[in-house]
Amino acid sequence: MGSEARKRIGAENGRGGSLIGLLSRMPDEESCARWLLEHENPGGWRCPRCGCATCSPVRGRPHSFQCTRCRKQVSVTAGTCMHGTKAPLRAWVAAMWLASHSRRGVSGLELARVAGVSENCADYMLRRLRAALASPCAHSVLDGAVELDDFYVGARRGGVGRGTRKSKMIACVEEAEPGGRRGRCVIRSVEGIAGGDYRLFAHDHVCRSAEVHSDMWVGIRGGLAAWGGLDARPFDASDPVASLPVAHHVISNFKAFLAGTCHGVRDLDLQSRADEFSWRYSHRDSDDPLGDMLAAACAGRIRRADIPGLATAQPEQPMMGHHKPRRAVS
Ligand SMILES: [Zn+2]
């Protein structure tokens, strides 16, 4: 596929495109599978066995195409987070569009209503999508001027300050370059927030050359001693946002996402929600957010074992069910 075709796809799927417009171009499962085939092979499809460039749909095998020369069959969902899915591909496209375009993310209930699948099915699809986003987020390394801070989420469980028994998280956010690209963020759920926890986090996610802004807590200064650009800022309790404005802005948006879209989250699901939020924040200026999400979704197969907190989630049952809102655990 040439640059013209890339531009066309970007314009159709990108910020200017609508979900209705996108789905109207793929009225059935076969056209949807074709669309996926085109996106998974941006240079044009080639048979993995004989190199032939043409294929046709396989009757009776949904999502599959057959090479017109050697009859090798390939599935567009094999090796992706949609591997073995029973849900319609159109529902998957709707899920990816909503999860990548919506500023506040999408809940299982909303997706069930839009895509016409049961809430269990929608919930399971979104869990698979979040699991697909985990890898790019886990390997994200931030550079330039970054702000770093810890925070707590969940119901009160005793303890105060850094001794709280709430779930502990560390957030790192790149400051926007003047007139340049806007920053990315990483949010990780951590066991504790001692200096060693900060060091481990920074080892995975903060470039050594970064200019790190954080508060003056002694644990942070000790943990990040190896990062030469550490700038400890005094914390003003009367105006907590003033010292680290970008990090605090992201943290408050993440908490609003947990409360507003997720209606509370179990500890087991916290990291996958953080990955979804971080991914969307980091791609908020992308020209083709759906294409970016699709690339992550197609990067590898997701197994049940890859999805945290599956004890209560049911495998996909694509038939439409009644929408019964679930109670949040915390
Ligand atoms: Zn072939």
Side-chain angles (χ1 to χ4, degrees), residues 7-330:
K7 271 187 203 165
R8 176 181 58 80
I9 286 174
E12 288 173 353
N13 306 339
R15 292 271 168 220
S18 70
L19 178 58
I20 290 176
L22 180 66
L23 290 178
S24 68
R25 289 193 293 277
M26 44 181 104
D28 51 30
E29 286 293 281
E30 187 186 318
S31 53
C32 200
R34 278 258 176 224
W35 181 84
L36 275 176
L37 189 74
E38 189 179 343
H39 279 72
E40 288 171 12
N41 301 276
W45 183 80
R46 287 276 166 192
C47 170
R49 187 191 283 160
C50 74
C52 174
T54 53
C55 58
S56 54
V58 182
R59 218 175 271 169
R61 275 195 71 192
H63 319 152
S64 292
F65 291 89
Q66 181 173 275
C67 170
T68 49
R69 189 193 294 164
C70 74
R71 301 196 173 183
K72 164 89 177 162
Q73 292 188 357
V74 291
S75 161
V76 288
T77 55
T80 74
C81 80
M82 298 167 277
H83 193 110
T85 184
K86 298 184 187 73
L89 289 186
R90 280 163 54 86
W92 276 103
V93 171
M96 285 189 247
W97 195 94
L98 289 168
S100 58
H101 281 70
S102 167
R103 284 173 68 92
R104 300 192 61 182
V106 59
S107 67
L109 185 61
E110 284 174 287
L111 176 60
R113 284 176 176 151
V114 171
V117 295
S118 71
E119 195 186 339
N120 269 345
C121 175
D123 193 45
Y124 190 59
M125 290 163 68
L126 290 175
R127 282 174 183 274
R128 286 212 214 182
L129 266 185
R130 281 185 218 114
L133 301 180
S135 179
C137 290
H139 294 101
S140 193
V141 179
L142 308 188
D143 201 359
V146 301
E147 293 185 9
L148 188 66
D149 204 5
D150 52 76
F151 63 103
Y152 323 104
V153 293
R156 279 194 189 142
R157 300 172 198 168
V160 290
R162 285 191 155 97
T164 180
R165 287 198 283 278
K166 286 182 176 183
S167 301
K168 299 171 181 72
M169 309 197 84
I170 296 179
C172 186
V173 190
E174 286 175 341
E175 291 175 1
E177 293 166 5
R181 70 177 173 83
R182 291 168 69 187
R184 301 166 293 159
C185 82
V186 174
I187 300 176
R188 306 300 299 172
S189 179
V190 289
E191 288 289 313
I193 41 173
D197 300 296
Y198 261 102
R199 186 162 50 247
L200 283 176
F201 176 92
H203 179 266
D204 289 341
H205 297 295
V206 183
C207 191
R208 289 289 174 131
S209 59
E211 180 189 330
V212 184
H213 303 288
S214 196
D215 62 34
M216 292 182 76
W217 181 55
V218 66
I220 295 179
R221 281 186 282 163
L224 300 185
W227 275 257
L230 179 63
D231 162 42
R233 293 179 180 176
F235 178 74
D236 177 5
S238 65
D239 188 4
V241 175
S243 56
L244 300 167
V246 185
H248 288 147
H249 175 73
V250 166
I251 290 168
S252 66
N253 279 354
F254 177 60
K255 287 182 174 177
F257 165 64
L258 291 182
T261 304
C262 316
H263 303 292
V265 174
R266 298 177 308 167
D267 284 355
L268 268 174
D269 292 329
L270 205 47
Q271 186 56 56
S272 64
R273 299 290 187 166
D275 289 339
E276 181 194 345
F277 177 89
S278 310
W279 189 93
R280 195 164 35 245
Y281 181 88
S282 301
H283 289 79
R284 65 199 183 286
D285 286 339
S286 168
D287 292 331
D288 184 10
L290 178 64
D292 294 344
M293 168 92 46
L294 197 55
C298 294
R301 183 179 170 184
I302 300 297
R303 294 170 175 80
R304 276 182 79 79
D306 300 328
I307 304 175
L310 256 194
T312 57
Q314 300 297 312
E316 301 162 21
Q317 295 295 329
M319 294 306 292
M320 188 65 168
H322 59 284
H323 299 303
K324 186 178 170 189
R326 276 204 203 118
R327 289 174 67 95
V329 175
S330 62

